[in-house]
């Protein structure tokens, strides 16, 4: 299966998601947050650094729950806003 290249907007959205998750994580470790979301620390690391800019919905939902973020907040902060 060949994946289509990501658009610049998708990459930017992934960067915003990563920044939001890092900020929400605060002083908690990646391992702690990932474990409470049922994910590997490597998955969280990839999302936070933008190497996985389009995570699955359920991954985002699990991380939002572990970090006390609503999905509305995640959408509002990460959605593409044309200039």
């Amino acid at each position: 299966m060949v994946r289509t290249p990501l658009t610049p907007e998708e990459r930017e959205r992934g960067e915003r998601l990563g920044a939001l998750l890092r900020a929400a994580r605060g002083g908690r470790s990646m391992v702690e947050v990932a474990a409470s979301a049922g994910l590997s620390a490597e998955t969280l690391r990839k999302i936070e650094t933008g190497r996985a800019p389009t995570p699955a919905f359920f991954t985002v939902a699990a991380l939002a729950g572990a970090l006390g973020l609503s999905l509305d907040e995640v959408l509002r902060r990460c959605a593409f806003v044309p200039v």
Side-chain angles (χ1 to χ4, degrees):
M1 182 171 145
V2 176
R3 240 181 123 158
T4 58
L6 297 175
T7 66
E9 292 82 12
E10 289 170 323
R11 289 187 190 281
E12 289 174 25
R13 185 176 57 228
E15 290 172 7
R16 286 191 298 275
L17 175 62
L20 172 63
L21 296 176
R22 274 191 309 279
R25 186 165 55 83
R28 294 171 65 187
S29 74
M30 274 190 185
V31 172
E32 177 187 348
V33 171
S36 69
L39 306 169
S40 71
E42 183 60 21
T43 297
L44 178 55
R45 182 177 292 106
K46 286 178 181 179
I47 295 168
E48 283 191 1
T49 61
R51 289 187 304 152
T54 58
F57 170 79
F58 292 105
T59 300
V60 175
L63 286 167
L67 293 167
L69 297 169
S70 72
L71 289 175
D72 287 336
E73 174 75 3
V74 174
L75 176 62
R76 187 176 59 75
R77 303 264 309 270
C78 297
F80 176 69
V81 180
V83 178

